[in-house]
Amino acid sequence: MSPSPREGLTPPAEGLTTEELLSAELIDAEEDLAPAPPVAAARRRLRAHPLLLFVGIVLASLNMRAALAGVSPVLSEISDDFHMTSTVSSLVTTIPLIFMGVVSPLAPKLARRWGTETVLLGALVLLAGGIVLRIAPAAVTLFGGCAVVGSGIALLNVLMPGLIKRDFPEKAAGMTALYSTAMILGATVSAAAAVPLEHALGGWRGSLVSWALLAAIAACAWLPQAVLARRGTHHGEAAAVPAQSSGSAGPDADGQQDGPKLTRSPLAWQITLFMGSQSLIAYVTIAWLPTIFTDHGMSKASAGLVFAFSTLVQMGGSFVVPTLAGRMRRQRLLCAVVALFMAMGIAGLLVAPVGGAWVWATLLGLGQGGALGIALTLMVLRSGDAHTAARLSGMAQTWGYLLAAAGPLVLGAVHQVTGGWTIPIVLLLCVCGALVLLGLGAGRDRRIGTSAG
């Protein structure tokens, strides 16, 4: 039986089954909230017609990476249009990451006030608006649109897993697989179609703005759910209140949440930095991999396809590695292996960036998918209960995205100063080395809140 939200998540000696692990990984940002009676009744009515929820989840998942992945294949055209240096153009990727880190902690508070369905609708409207804002003539609107896009994605990142766990408790494993697949598929299609859409729609603006249509369609799917979930609540009434069960946690006398103080836990910081470091590599790849290929002579269309393939391959690592991790007491070796895969793919860019492009893309994709999967798994395995896992997820997303935001900016600046990609790629290899060290710490058989954690 899968652990209930209020029960401990510590795995037994033989490890977690795949279904138990996938269910546990759906960390609920509203773990300590109970819906208001009218909202609870509305959600029961919605669950009686799961097709609407199913379609809404798939459409929202498709949007969670598409708006970012479609930028890098046309980044050189954006840079040329605005006469931007490599450092400045890296802000197109950096700004969304900053806002993903800053806005993530606000998601549970907004959900408590307005309800998850309404906030998800708002997130998709923000996403569509931000995508449109990015194509306005002024550079300031480009960067403003990036901030709005990052804010919308942050809300989706935080609230979607808990909604899936809440509304499909008996099918959590299958819905997790569908959610992950749709998210990766959206990024893959966006990257592969970026250059063809640019040619078909008259430039990079047409390519980017086309994804606003997908966000708008997803928003339409969530509109009736948001309306139904809020029906019956009085004006100004919150959609949820703090849970009153004995297992719930609230702020202590210092205003801090009950449970272990994560900022004082070396293990929590190791997991957070592992999450941030693998995200840094992922978003540097999103920002600069197609440019690295084109700077070495590959066509834009081919570079977009190789990048899209690397994104698609992540699916394999993201499914296989967490399953292996859940069956182990220690994940140190597994952390080192996924870092090694990424390091080999990155090092290949120094040796034969074009000739071995498909090989390096495969290694990078498997390593990145595995690294993200094991980072999410460690949040579950190193936490003693669902409440700690939710808090650790919030800490890792906030600080992890802020750390990741430095990657595209710093490497873009180094590329501009050095005039080549050798030193930026060597710096990425150093990050892979740091991942190994962090994984050796985070992969130990320890729990946050114990004397060793």
Side-chain angles (χ1 to χ4, degrees):
M1 176 182 291
S2 300
S4 72
R6 301 294 175 187
E7 291 173 343
L9 293 174
T10 303
E14 63 272 16
L16 295 174
T17 67
T18 300
E19 289 198 1
E20 287 173 333
L21 180 62
L22 288 172
S23 177
E25 280 186 5
L26 292 173
I27 295 173
D28 189 356
E30 298 181 89
E31 178 66 33
D32 302 310
L33 298 178
V39 175
R43 286 174 176 170
R44 286 193 293 271
R45 290 194 296 271
L46 283 170
R47 284 195 291 271
H49 304 282
L51 181 61
L52 185 61
L53 285 168
F54 178 87
V55 171
I57 288 170
V58 171
L59 288 173
S61 302
L62 287 170
N63 278 280
M64 288 175 68
R65 295 293 180 269
L68 298 179
V71 172
S72 55
V74 297
L75 185 59
S76 60
E77 281 70 27
I78 297 174
S79 180
D80 291 343
D81 200 351
F82 289 107
H83 307 289
M84 296 187 297
T85 64
S86 297
T87 305
V88 176
S89 63
S90 68
L91 293 175
V92 177
T93 303
T94 298
I95 289 174
L97 291 176
I98 293 173
F99 278 81
M100 285 163 70
V102 170
V103 174
S104 289
L106 302 179
K109 298 179 177 64
L110 293 173
R112 174 179 175 178
R113 176 64 182 83
W114 300 105
T116 299
E117 296 83 1
T118 303
V119 177
L120 287 175
L121 170 62
L124 290 163
V125 171
L126 278 177
L127 184 58
I131 292 171
V132 173
L133 189 59
R134 289 189 305 188
I135 70 165
V140 66
T141 57
L142 169 67
F143 296 133
C146 291
V148 176
V149 165
S151 300
I153 292 174
L155 299 176
L156 293 171
N157 279 346
V158 175
L159 296 179
M160 282 288 291
L163 180 135
I164 293 170
K165 190 170 189 175
R166 183 194 76 199
D167 289 339
F168 294 91
E170 303 302 324
K171 301 177 181 178
M175 289 302 297
T176 303
L178 178 67
Y179 159 73
S180 301
T181 300
M183 187 166 57
I184 294 173
L185 182 62
T188 302
V189 173
S190 176
V195 175
L197 285 173
E198 179 190 15
H199 294 156
L201 300 176
W204 65 266
R205 286 184 169 87
S207 179
L208 292 192
V209 80
S210 61
W211 296 102
L213 178 61
L214 180 61
I217 293 172
C220 290
W222 281 99
L223 179 60
Q225 300 184 63
V227 171
L228 289 173
R230 289 295 293 175
R231 183 178 294 173
T233 56
H234 301 294
H235 178 70
E237 182 181 356
V241 295
Q244 298 300 314
S245 64
S246 59
S248 66
D252 58 23
D254 298 322
Q256 303 294 323
Q257 291 289 329
D258 291 340
K261 294 185 182 299
L262 299 184
T263 55
R264 298 181 183 178
S265 167
L267 182 54
W269 277 113
Q270 287 165 346
I271 295 170
T272 295
L273 293 175
F274 186 93
M275 180 70 169
S277 297
Q278 67 84 24
S279 294
L280 184 151
I281 295 173
Y283 284 101
V284 165
T285 302
I286 288 174
W288 293 119
L289 187 61
T291 304
I292 293 173
F293 288 139
T294 55
D295 282 356
H296 286 89
M298 184 181 286
S299 69
K300 285 199 311 175
S302 296
L305 286 175
V306 175
F307 172 55
F309 176 74
S310 181
T311 303
L312 183 63
V313 171
Q314 291 179 24
M315 199 179 300
S318 67
F319 285 138
V320 173
V321 172
T323 301
L324 295 175
R327 300 173 186 273
M328 301 174 176
R329 280 192 174 276
R330 301 173 184 83
Q331 293 76 31
R332 305 174 82 180
L333 178 61
L334 209 50
C335 290
V337 169
V338 297
L340 179 61
F341 267 70
M342 285 191 287
M344 289 190 296
I346 292 167
L349 298 175
L350 291 173
V351 179
V354 175
W358 292 96
V359 177
W360 316 140
T362 302
L363 292 170
L364 268 171
L366 291 173
Q368 288 173 350
L372 176 59
I374 201 168
L376 296 173
T377 305
L378 289 173
M379 293 180 198
V380 176
L381 299 181
R382 300 288 92 91
S383 300
D385 54 73
H387 172 65
T388 301
R391 292 173 56 220
L392 179 59
S393 175
M395 175 178 171
Q397 288 200 58
T398 299
W399 293 105
Y401 282 128
L402 292 177
L403 173 61
L409 181 63
V410 171
L411 266 70
V414 173
H415 169 62
Q416 180 182 332
V417 170
T418 62
W421 288 107
T422 300
I423 295 179
I425 290 172
V426 170
L427 291 176
L428 274 186
L429 289 174
C430 293
V431 177
C432 291
L435 265 181
V436 173
L437 296 177
L438 291 166
L440 292 177
R444 294 172 299 164
D445 185 17
R446 298 285 189 273
R447 301 289 177 271
I448 293 173
T450 65
S451 58

